[in-house]
Amino acid sequence: MLELAILGFLYDTPLHGYELRKRIAALTGHVKPVAESTLYPAIKRLEKAGLLARTTEPGSVAAPRHVLTLTEDGRRELRRLLAEPVPRDISDENRWFTVLAFLRHLEDAGTQSAVLRRRLAFLEEPASFFYDGDRPLRAEELDDPFRRGLLTIARATSRAELTWLRETIASLDG
């Protein structure tokens, strides 16, 4: 998810590490803050793989800034990751939001639609956070008001996403 976010944000514009970290935190930070000890090794891996290039610019006040730019290989890798998300990128809501944030970088509407169809299929499967044996429980079946609230909120969120997915897929398939 972190590497996808790095590639995605750099697709549009070169950024220095601090600005990149702020943007990633704005996208995912409420769930999982991005520590420097995680971000900078990921940047180095992507740079070593030839997906990023680093240039040095003079700092406005203090030390020079390292500006990161996506290479053409980096652009191809981002499009590959978006076109072929791993199952966890489809099923995990936070990872899905990261994919969704950059899906516009896939230029082919059919490929975008195929990714959305995978998420749609996942959401259409009967599921719950709570089960009676193998049977998913619905909110109305729970006495616990907090678990009932969790399922009620999840159902409303899923319905909104399902509506959006169906409308967007229809538009892309137009």
Side-chain angles (χ1 to χ4, degrees):
M1 184 173 78
L2 179 59
E3 291 181 359
L4 178 65
I6 292 168
L7 296 173
F9 280 117
L10 293 176
Y11 194 95
D12 289 327
T13 187
L15 297 168
H16 56 85
Y18 176 73
E19 182 62 31
L20 181 60
R21 185 171 173 226
K22 281 183 10 185
R23 291 183 187 200
I24 293 170
L27 178 64
T28 64
H30 65 285
V31 175
K32 187 176 181 183
V34 180
E36 287 182 23
S37 62
T38 305
L39 177 63
Y40 292 104
I43 289 171
K44 287 191 182 292
R45 280 192 308 275
L46 293 170
E47 189 177 12
K48 187 176 179 181
L51 305 178
L52 303 180
R54 179 189 310 246
T55 58
T56 304
E57 294 180 353
S60 57
V61 176
R65 299 183 333 166
H66 298 281
V67 177
L68 303 165
T69 306
L70 204 57
T71 65
E72 192 51 46
D73 284 346
R75 291 177 175 281
R76 275 192 293 278
E77 178 63 5
L78 174 66
R79 290 188 297 263
R80 186 192 69 74
L81 291 170
L82 292 170
E84 304 166 9
V86 297
R88 206 166 109 192
D89 290 344
I90 298 295
S91 62
D92 180 275
E93 183 174 86
N94 300 310
R95 294 175 71 93
W96 170 246
F97 284 168
T98 303
V99 169
L100 200 55
F102 304 110
L103 199 57
R104 67 188 176 91
H105 295 308
L106 289 178
E107 296 170 3
D108 179 62
T111 306
Q112 291 171 331
S113 179
V115 173
L116 296 182
R117 284 179 190 287
R118 287 183 57 199
R119 176 67 176 183
L120 179 65
F122 166 74
L123 289 178
E124 288 177 332
E125 285 293 316
S128 178
F129 298 111
F130 310 107
Y131 287 81
D132 179 11
D134 289 338
R135 186 179 66 80
L137 292 173
R138 296 181 1 215
E140 298 77 18
E141 298 175 286
L142 297 172
D143 293 329
D144 180 333
F146 308 106
R147 287 186 170 193
R148 191 171 52 246
L150 175 63
L151 290 180
T152 300
I153 293 165
R155 180 177 22 191
T157 302
S158 290
R159 283 181 179 164
E161 186 176 355
L162 285 165
T163 299
W164 177 83
L165 282 166
R166 290 179 183 121
E167 290 171 355
T168 305
I169 290 168
S171 172
L172 290 169
D173 292 350

